[in-house]
Amino acid sequence: MFVHETSVRVLYADTDKAGVVYYGTYLRFFEKGRTEYFRALGKSYADFEKTGILLTVVEAHARYHAPGRYDDRLVIRSWITRLTRTRIEFACDILNEAGEKLCEGTTLLGCIGIDTMRPTPLPEEMTALIKDKVVAKKEEG
Amino acid sequence: MFVHETSVRVLYADTDKAGVVYYGTYLRFFEKGRTEYFRALGKSYADFEKTGILLTVVEAHARYHAPGRYDDRLVIRSWITRLTRTRIEFACDILNEAGEKLCEGTTLLGCIGIDTMRPTPLPEEMTALIKDKVVAKKEEG
Amino acid sequence: MFVHETSVRVLYADTDKAGVVYYGTYLRFFEKGRTEYFRALGKSYADFEKTGILLTVVEAHARYHAPGRYDDRLVIRSWITRLTRTRIEFACDILNEAGEKLCEGTTLLGCIGIDTMRPTPLPEEMTALIKDKVVAKKEEG
Amino acid sequence: MFVHETSVRVLYADTDKAGVVYYGTYLRFFEKGRTEYFRALGKSYADFEKTGILLTVVEAHARYHAPGRYDDRLVIRSWITRLTRTRIEFACDILNEAGEKLCEGTTLLGCIGIDTMRPTPLPEEMTALIKDKVVAKKEEG
C-alpha cells in the first residue's frame, strides 16, 4: 500500500469570513496531493501531459470533519483507490498538525486525448507506475 | 417544488490552463446558488447569520459532465433535497446557455451556533420558509 | 467620458478570516469590470480573442480604502485612462451600496498575438470602439 | 540587507485559460512571501495577530514581466523597503527555476488594532525584529 504525504500552509487566501478554510479550497489541496503523488513516483503529471493526455476530474467528493485554521501546516495524504483502463480514483485525507482529520475526499479522474478531447486509455507508463499501488478499500474514516 | 435559478459569467479567474472552468470553481458557483436561494425566499443568509448561527458545509459532491468555458453565462439551479432539525441538503445543476448540464452537485449544510460552535437546530424562521420547498428526490441527471 | 458600471455580490469565497474581502479578490473584480466594459461597447472581449489576440496584464495597482463585506453588492466602475497602439490602461473603483469607495485600481493591458505570443497592435475594431472613450486624467480619489 | 526566499509550486488552480498563472494569483504568492518572512525572523505573523493586531493591505502593486507556467517551482523573494510607526512596505520578486523574473511587486501594510479596527503602532517586538532589515531602495527591476 502506497500513501503519499505532502503538506501545505494555510494562507489568508484559503480562508473565509468564518475564520476557517473555505470548503472549496480543499479541492485545491486535493489537487496538490495528486500532483505530488505522481512526482513521488518518478514522473510528474506535467510530463505525462506532454505525451498528449489530460486527466480531467469526473467526480469529486469531500466530507468536512473539523475546520482548518489560518497558518496551520496541513498534511495531505493521497492514495489511489481504483484504476481502470481510462480512469483513476484518488482518495485524500487532510489532517492538521495534531493529526486530527479535517477533511477526506475522493476525486475520479478520466483520461482524455488532448487532440481529440475524447476519453482515451491511460498512458501505459502511468498504469505501470501505479498498478501495484492501488488500495482496494478506502481507509476507515 | 421550488427550484431557484440564478446565473454567473465565467471569468478568466474561474478557468485553468486546460481552457475550462477549474473543478474547484464549481463549489463557488454552488455557494452563489445557495445564497441567492435564501434571498429569493425573502430573508438573506447574511441576515440569518446575524441571529447567531452559521451553516457550515458538512459534505460536498460534484459530478462533471462537460466543460464550462470562459465568458459563458452559466445557469445555476438550486433546490433543497433534504431537511432535518439541524441540516439542509442542497442540490445544484450548472448549465450553459445552450441548456447543457455541465456539473451537478450536492452540499450538505449543518447549523452551528456562533457562540458555542456546536450543532444547533436551524432557526425556526428558516425552517418555516423552506419546509414546503423540499424536493424529495433529486431530478434525474 | 465613458464610465461603465456593473456589480458583484461578495461570496464567502471572496472573503478571508479577517471577515472582509481578500485583497487579491479585487483583481478578480477589476477583471469583471474590464470584461463587462467591452461587452457594453458592443463586442465582447471573448470575441476579440477569437480574432487571434490576447490582452495580458502588464501592471496592476490597487489602493484599499475600506473593507468590503460578505454579501455586499459592490459596484464596479471601469473606465479607460490611456490608449496606445499596443496598450490600454483601465481604472477601476469599487464602491459599496452606500457609495463608499472601498478600493481603486488600475490595470495596464498589453496586446499579444496568440500565434507569436509577441506584442502586436490592438485590433483596429477595438481601437475604433474605445478611442473616444479615454478619460485623460483619473478621477480624484 | 535581508532578503527572504521561499518557493511555491504552480497548481492548475493558479492558472487561467491563457495557460499561465492568473494575474491575481501573484497576490497570493506575495502573501506567502510575507508570512514566511516573519516566520524566518522567529515569530510568525499568526502569533503577532494573537497580541491583538492585524496587518491590513493598504496598497498593492505588481508588474508582470513573463508568464508563470503550470508546475513551475517559483521562487518568492521578499524584503522590507519601508518601515514607519504604523506601516511596513514589502517588496517581492517572483522568479522561475531558470532565475527569470516573472513578476515584481510591493504591498504596503498598515497595523490595525483588532479591538478598535483603527490604525495602531506596530508591536514593539515586530519593529525590533525588522528595523535593521529594511532595504532603503528597491532593487533595480
Side-chain angles (χ1 to χ4, degrees):
Chain A
M1 168 163 170
F2 179 78
V3 176
H4 175 264
E5 206 167 296
T6 184
S7 72
V8 68
R9 182 77 71 170
V10 177
L11 295 174
Y12 254 80
D14 298 318
T15 62
D16 66 28
K17 78 172 267 281
V20 302
V21 174
Y22 182 66
Y23 88 122
T25 302
Y26 288 95
L27 272 63
R28 173 187 182 92
F29 297 161
F30 294 171
E31 187 209 336
K32 185 177 166 86
R34 297 191 305 264
T35 309
E36 298 306 324
Y37 182 99
F38 282 116
R39 198 183 326 278
L41 295 194
K43 179 154 178 165
S44 73
Y45 170 67
D47 281 338
F48 277 115
E49 278 201 349
K50 283 170 198 150
T51 69
I53 59 105
L54 278 179
L55 296 181
T56 63
V57 181
V58 175
E59 198 163 350
H61 181 255
R63 231 182 311 171
Y64 305 91
H65 298 285
R69 304 280 175 191
Y70 170 64
D71 211 44
D72 277 358
R73 198 183 137 276
L74 303 183
V75 173
I76 304 171
R77 277 194 198 140
S78 307
W79 64 99
I80 291 176
T81 46
R82 219 155 25 115
L83 178 67
T84 71
R85 217 172 55 98
T86 60
R87 293 187 165 185
I88 304 173
E89 189 184 64
F90 272 94
C92 187
D93 281 351
I94 312 280
L95 302 95
N96 63 15
E97 283 180 279
E100 187 187 11
K101 193 192 287 189
L102 306 182
C103 177
E104 65 185 312
T106 55
T107 46
L108 179 62
L109 307 175
C111 191
I112 297 281
I114 285 176
D115 289 343
T116 61
M117 291 307 278
R118 309 278 315 160
T120 194
L122 292 161
E124 276 178 45
E125 193 184 351
M126 187 183 278
T127 305
L129 273 176
I130 61 186
K131 71 175 176 221
D132 62 332
K133 292 177 188 66
V134 179
V135 179
K137 257 180 86 65
K138 193 166 176 314
E139 276 179 345
E140 285 313 297
Chain B
M1 169 162 169
F2 179 77
V3 176
H4 175 264
E5 206 167 296
T6 185
S7 71
V8 68
R9 182 77 70 170
V10 177
L11 295 174
Y12 254 80
D14 298 318
T15 62
D16 66 28
K17 78 174 267 283
V20 302
V21 174
Y22 182 66
Y23 88 121
T25 302
Y26 287 96
L27 273 63
R28 173 187 183 91
F29 298 160
F30 294 171
E31 187 209 336
K32 185 178 166 87
R34 295 191 306 264
T35 308
E36 297 307 323
Y37 182 99
F38 282 115
R39 197 182 327 278
L41 295 193
K43 179 154 179 167
S44 73
Y45 170 66
D47 280 339
F48 277 115
E49 278 200 350
K50 284 169 197 151
T51 69
I53 59 104
L54 279 179
L55 296 182
T56 63
V57 181
V58 175
E59 198 163 350
H61 180 256
R63 232 180 312 170
Y64 304 91
H65 298 286
R69 305 280 176 191
Y70 171 64
D71 210 43
D72 277 359
R73 196 183 137 278
L74 302 183
V75 173
I76 304 172
R77 276 194 199 141
S78 307
W79 65 98
I80 292 177
T81 46
R82 219 157 23 115
L83 178 66
T84 71
R85 216 172 56 97
T86 61
R87 293 186 165 187
I88 305 173
E89 189 185 65
F90 272 94
C92 187
D93 281 352
I94 312 279
L95 302 94
N96 63 16
E97 283 180 279
E100 186 187 12
K101 193 192 288 188
L102 306 182
C103 177
E104 65 186 313
T106 54
T107 46
L108 179 62
L109 307 175
C111 191
I112 297 281
I114 286 178
D115 288 343
T116 61
M117 292 305 278
R118 309 280 313 161
T120 194
L122 292 161
E124 276 178 45
E125 193 183 351
M126 187 183 277
T127 305
L129 273 175
I130 61 185
K131 71 176 177 221
D132 62 332
K133 292 178 186 66
V134 179
V135 180
K137 258 179 86 64
K138 194 167 174 313
E139 277 178 345
E140 284 313 297
Chain C
M1 169 163 168
F2 179 77
V3 175
H4 175 264
E5 205 167 297
T6 185
S7 71
V8 68
R9 182 76 72 170
V10 177
L11 296 174
Y12 254 80
D14 298 318
T15 62
D16 65 28
K17 79 172 267 282
V20 301
V21 174
Y22 182 66
Y23 87 122
T25 302
Y26 288 95
L27 274 62
R28 173 187 183 91
F29 297 161
F30 294 171
E31 186 209 338
K32 186 177 166 85
R34 296 190 307 262
T35 309
E36 296 307 324
Y37 183 99
F38 282 115
R39 198 183 326 278
L41 295 193
K43 180 155 177 166
S44 73
Y45 169 67
D47 280 338
F48 278 115
E49 278 201 349
K50 284 170 199 151
T51 69
I53 58 105
L54 278 179
L55 295 181
T56 63
V57 182
V58 175
E59 198 162 349
H61 180 256
R63 231 181 312 169
Y64 304 91
H65 298 286
R69 304 280 175 192
Y70 171 64
D71 210 44
D72 277 359
R73 196 183 137 278
L74 303 182
V75 173
I76 304 172
R77 278 195 196 137
S78 307
W79 64 99
I80 291 177
T81 46
R82 218 155 25 113
L83 178 66
T84 71
R85 217 172 55 98
T86 60
R87 292 186 167 187
I88 304 173
E89 188 185 66
F90 272 95
C92 187
D93 281 352
I94 312 280
L95 302 95
N96 64 15
E97 283 179 279
E100 188 187 11
K101 194 191 287 188
L102 307 182
C103 178
E104 64 186 313
T106 54
T107 46
L108 179 63
L109 307 176
C111 190
I112 297 281
I114 286 177
D115 288 344
T116 62
M117 292 306 278
R118 310 279 313 161
T120 194
L122 292 160
E124 276 178 44
E125 193 184 351
M126 187 183 278
T127 305
L129 273 177
I130 61 185
K131 71 175 176 221
D132 62 332
K133 293 179 186 65
V134 179
V135 180
K137 258 180 86 65
K138 194 166 176 313
E139 278 179 343
E140 285 312 298
Chain D
M1 170 161 170
F2 179 77
V3 175
H4 175 264
E5 206 167 296
T6 184
S7 71
V8 68
R9 181 77 71 169
V10 177
L11 295 175
Y12 253 81
D14 298 318
T15 62
D16 66 27
K17 77 173 267 283
V20 301
V21 174
Y22 182 65
Y23 87 122
T25 303
Y26 288 95
L27 273 63
R28 175 187 181 91
F29 297 161
F30 294 170
E31 188 208 335
K32 186 178 165 87
R34 296 190 306 264
T35 309
E36 298 307 324
Y37 183 98
F38 282 115
R39 199 183 325 278
L41 295 193
K43 179 154 178 167
S44 73
Y45 170 67
D47 281 338
F48 277 116
E49 278 201 349
K50 283 169 199 151
T51 69
I53 59 105
L54 278 179
L55 295 181
T56 62
V57 181
V58 175
E59 198 163 350
H61 180 256
R63 231 180 312 169
Y64 304 91
H65 298 285
R69 305 279 176 192
Y70 171 64
D71 211 44
D72 277 359
R73 198 183 137 279
L74 303 182
V75 173
I76 303 171
R77 277 194 197 140
S78 307
W79 65 99
I80 291 176
T81 47
R82 217 155 27 113
L83 178 66
T84 71
R85 216 172 56 99
T86 60
R87 293 187 164 184
I88 305 173
E89 189 185 65
F90 271 95
C92 187
D93 281 350
I94 312 280
L95 302 95
N96 64 15
E97 283 180 280
E100 188 187 11
K101 194 192 287 189
L102 305 183
C103 178
E104 64 185 314
T106 55
T107 46
L108 179 62
L109 307 176
C111 190
I112 297 281
I114 285 177
D115 288 343
T116 62
M117 291 307 277
R118 310 278 314 160
T120 195
L122 292 161
E124 276 178 45
E125 193 184 351
M126 187 183 277
T127 305
L129 273 176
I130 61 185
K131 70 175 177 221
D132 62 331
K133 292 178 186 67
V134 179
V135 179
K137 258 179 86 64
K138 195 167 174 313
E139 276 178 347
E140 285 312 297

